[in-house]
Amino acid sequence: VLVTLSGTSITARDSADAYKMKLNDKDPEYRFGIEGAWLLAPTRHGAHNWEGPGRRTALSALAALPRLAQRLALPLVDASQVAV
């Protein structure tokens, strides 16, 4: 799981969209995400940073990801393998 943390004015979608690529110049479309990994872009509201409430938000999102993937029948998530 790659956890991407953004500033308060950046939406979770915009943060996740930063991880896009084209395999070559001729590709008409972008590929989003990181191959072989889950990309988690938690969001928080207010002026606090990723300490305190923001940290709890990110950890809660990480804890929820395996349950969500299972419920949606998506590939399994190993939440013990995390990069921030």
Side-chain angles (χ1 to χ4, degrees):
V1 179
L2 174 62
V3 180
T4 178
L5 306 175
S6 63
T8 56
S9 64
I10 306 297
T11 66
R13 173 172 278 181
D14 287 345
S15 182
D17 281 352
Y19 293 86
K20 65 183 176 186
M21 65 179 170
K22 287 189 174 188
L23 294 179
N24 62 57
D25 292 338
K26 295 180 178 140
D27 273 342
E29 302 292 327
Y30 282 97
R31 299 180 112 194
F32 291 87
I34 305 295
E35 189 170 337
W38 283 89
L39 179 62
L40 183 65
T43 189
R44 78 241 190 269
H45 301 287
H48 56 80
N49 53 27
W50 288 105
E51 297 172 354
R55 181 176 183 269
R56 286 191 297 275
T57 298
L59 291 174
S60 294
L62 182 60
L65 185 58
R67 294 188 305 272
L68 179 63
Q70 183 179 22
R71 190 172 76 208
L72 297 174
L74 296 171
L76 296 177
V77 176
D78 184 354
S80 69
Q81 300 293 316
V82 178
V84 180

